[in-house]
Structure formats: C-alpha cells, structure tokens
Amino acid sequence: MFGLNDNCSIDQDQEYLTLEDYQGRVSRWCAGCGDNGILGATQRLCRDEQLPREKTVFVSGIGCAARFPHYMNTYGFHGLHGRALPIAQGIKMRRPDLHVFVNMGDGDCCSIGTAHWIHALRANMDLVVMLHDNGIYGLTKNQASPTTPTGLKTNTTPRGTMLRALNPLTVTLGVTNASFVAQVGEWIPDLLFEVLKQAFHHKGLSFVRILQRCPHFTPELYNALLTNPDNIVLLTHEKGMQIGETTAKIYKRQEHHDPSDLNRARELAEMSDRVPMGILYRNEEIGRYNEISRSGILPTWERRAEVLESAFDRFGIQASAAE
Ligand code: SF4
C-alpha cells in the first residue's frame, strides 16, 4: 500500500503500513488471555505511528508474555529469563535510532529480573516497558510470583501464599530517575491504547503496568475491577491522558491528577481500596543514559580505537634492530 499525504494525494514512495503488516505469527496464548488485547493495542499503535518495521524491536525474557516478539512482524529478541531489559538497553545504546519495546511478565520482571528492572529505571533510556501482570507464573504452570495475592493456592504454595504481594508501582516510583509510570487494565482498550501512546511519546523509560487477565490460572484476580467500575479511579489531566466519552461514562470515578506531582503519584500507587488507572507520574527533565553517554561524557569511537591501539602496541612484538 502507499501512503496518503496531508492533502489526500498519494505518495507512491511512502509505503502505508496496515494492521496486518505488523501481525506476526498466530498467537498461541489461551483463549481469553489478556495478552491478546495488549498485542492488538500495540499493533494499532505501530500502525497509527507508522513505525518502520525495520526500525522497531520487541524484546522479551521468558514466560507467556515473552512470546510477544513472535507475534509482531518487526525485529524481535526472545531472550533469557529476567534479562529483557539489559538486552533492550544494549540495543538502544548501539542503535539509538530504533524504537525499542520490552514485554515482561510479573515473574520475569519482579522476581529474577528485579536487579535489571531497578537499574534500567535509573538509566532511564528511551524504552517502552510493558509489565504484563497476571499475578502468576503461567508458562511454567501456576507457581506463585511476587505479585500473587496473599492466600492464593498455587503449585509452590499449596496452602496459600503467605507474603503480601509486591506492588510494582510503589517500587518503580521509589527508584531514582523513574520518569514515566502508568497503570491500566487490558480489558479497557481505549485506555490501554492511550496509555501506550503516551508511553511511546515519552522521552525516557516508560514503565506501564498492565493488569492482565489469565483465565487459566488466576481467573478471579481482577474480578472486583471487572464487575464494579467504581473500584477504578481514572487519572485525568490536561498534561496526562485524554479519555473517550464511552470510557468516561463507564468509569465515573475520576481524579484530576497532575502527573508531575510525585508525592501524589506515590499516594495513588499505595491506595488499597481503589485502583488508579492512567499516568501516575511523568518527568521529561530526567537525563537519559543513551543520550548522556553520547554527549561527550564517554569517549568517541575514534578515541576508543586510539586507546585500544595504544594498548595493543604495548604488547606488540617489535622486530629487533639486528634483524
Ligand atoms: Fe495467558 Fe494464562 Fe494462558 Fe499464559 S496461562 S497464555 S497468561 S491465559
């Protein structure tokens, strides 16, 4: 297909990419799995932004969510458990021109990948990070993850989990340099799309916790939110998210929240009686490591080559004068 210009004339040099162009293999997620909705919203984002497929990369670790790169017709890297973030950072460091997305489950990000999660937030490189939080290890069949609610019986906790669940929002908001933190449920497509769009346009690491249904292992996890919209508080603001009319009619509890207010963002993240959805925090003033490292703080490639050459010279074997 060809691209349409603003004046509706056809630009034959510019290819217009459709939703189908971004679709990779047929998904093998269970029927009703919330990952399907996240995939659809992401493909729509790519289509609306007309992201060049050769300049777009999806990176994942291990788990159900980690199948994501296979279902996108872009570049992808299905990495090791918990290691999606350092891989994505390496890609962004070497190729800052690429659009880099990261898909991780709660086991992947909040357990084995925790150290990478914290340090990736601190580095604040320009990445869109989606945490698919279904409160369980799904791919490995029903083990408790750090976000599993207290008391849930799983294969590793047959009498029910004893610890309180980790809150990914409060953790993220507590890390130095966290610059974009949002939360959304995948069953609200308009909101999911809007949050992903804002995350994509943010300069820095955008951390989006997506509450994701797993009908197979945690079918009741988000029932309270699904059956009663009043348990959700939509965060609206002129500096934040635009909410469609239909969504606004269903979700009547709304808060006018300025996403630059870190203290209020932390309070919202800690709420136990209601669940905030939207952009909790955004700050574009925080430095991004992928840019700082290119602005003279690190040596240029020429300088690196010079240093390497001089190191090699120290150990080089010189032909003796006699020869
Ligand atoms: Fe989705 Fe759960 Fe099935 Fe995994 S086990 S594909 S998370 S429904």
Side-chain angles (χ1 to χ4, degrees):
M1 297 209 36
F2 299 105
L4 272 185
N5 289 324
D6 289 345
N7 61 6
C8 292
S9 65
I10 291 175
D11 181 351
Q12 298 199 4
D13 294 329
Q14 185 198 336
E15 189 188 16
Y16 179 81
L17 298 167
T18 63
L19 266 185
E20 289 73 29
D21 290 322
Y22 292 101
Q23 289 166 358
R25 293 191 200 156
V26 175
S27 132
R28 291 176 56 199
W29 289 313
C30 306
C33 174
D35 283 335
N36 290 297
I38 302 172
L39 180 68
T42 308
Q43 287 168 341
R44 188 179 151 205
L45 175 76
C46 292
R47 191 271 318 267
D48 283 13
E49 299 291 338
Q50 285 294 291
L51 300 189
R53 288 171 298 177
E54 70 282 8
K55 293 214 163 190
T56 305
V57 193
F58 284 81
V59 183
S60 65
I62 296 294
C64 292
R67 292 182 188 275
F68 213 91
H70 298 274
Y71 306 148
M72 293 298 302
N73 190 18
T74 60
Y75 279 103
F77 197 121
H78 191 165
L80 298 174
H81 205 197
R83 315 296 175 218
L85 283 165
I87 295 166
Q89 288 176 295
I91 294 169
K92 192 69 187 178
M93 179 64 88
R94 189 66 189 90
R95 289 289 307 273
D97 57 315
L98 301 184
H99 304 291
V100 185
F101 295 80
V102 181
N103 296 87
M104 298 182 290
D106 39 289
D108 205 23
C109 173
C110 310
S111 188
I112 189 171
T114 309
H116 297 306
W117 173 29
I118 303 295
H119 290 286
L121 288 165
R122 183 170 158 253
N124 191 35
M125 293 173 71
D126 210 357
L127 308 169
V128 177
V129 177
M130 295 179 233
L131 168 63
H132 303 222
D133 192 349
N134 57 16
I136 201 78
Y137 283 87
L139 189 78
T140 47
K141 311 286 177 260
N142 200 28
Q143 293 89 16
S145 87
T147 63
T148 303
T150 317
L152 194 80
K153 291 184 178 164
T154 72
N155 285 347
T156 44
T157 56
R159 292 181 189 165
T161 52
M162 289 175 285
L163 296 174
R164 284 177 66 202
L166 178 142
N167 181 337
L169 296 179
T170 53
V171 173
T172 303
L173 285 165
V175 176
T176 309
N177 290 346
S179 69
F180 183 104
V181 184
Q183 173 163 269
V184 65
E186 47 70 20
W187 59 89
I188 315 175
D190 284 0
L191 210 57
L192 174 60
F193 176 74
E194 183 60 27
V195 166
L196 289 180
K197 191 166 117 187
Q198 300 268 347
F200 172 73
H201 286 287
H202 173 71
K203 295 281 169 246
L205 189 150
S206 313
F207 180 85
V208 183
R209 181 194 189 197
I210 307 175
L211 308 181
Q212 178 237 319
R213 288 167 296 174
C214 170
H216 203 77
F217 293 118
T218 50
E220 292 168 11
L221 184 62
Y222 298 123
N223 268 1
L225 306 181
L226 286 155
T227 54
N228 184 0
D230 285 349
N231 286 327
I232 293 172
V233 182
L234 290 193
L235 306 178
T236 61
H237 197 270
E238 45 286 0
K239 289 192 223 157
M241 254 185 357
Q242 306 301 315
I243 292 166
E245 233 175 80
T246 319
T247 308
K249 270 187 198 157
I250 299 171
Y251 299 94
K252 295 199 176 67
R253 290 187 97 153
Q254 297 174 14
E255 176 167 329
H256 192 244
H257 166 61
D258 179 349
S260 62
D261 184 345
L262 180 58
N263 289 334
R264 183 61 191 149
R266 287 177 173 152
E267 285 169 10
L268 288 165
E270 276 177 0
M271 277 192 320
S272 55
D273 54 337
R274 279 163 294 146
V275 170
M277 287 199 190
I279 300 169
L280 283 93
Y281 184 62
R282 169 158 54 198
N283 181 348
E284 298 220 327
E285 303 303 312
I286 295 172
R288 299 173 282 278
Y289 188 69
N290 53 305
E291 289 176 5
I292 296 167
S293 63
R294 282 185 295 142
S295 61
I297 289 175
L298 285 184
T300 61
W301 289 110
E302 289 73 24
R303 176 66 188 140
R304 289 178 207 203
E306 206 180 293
V307 170
L308 269 178
E309 287 299 338
S310 91
F312 291 148
D313 287 346
R314 279 177 55 211
F315 300 103
I317 298 169
Q318 306 292 332
S320 70
E323 288 170 333

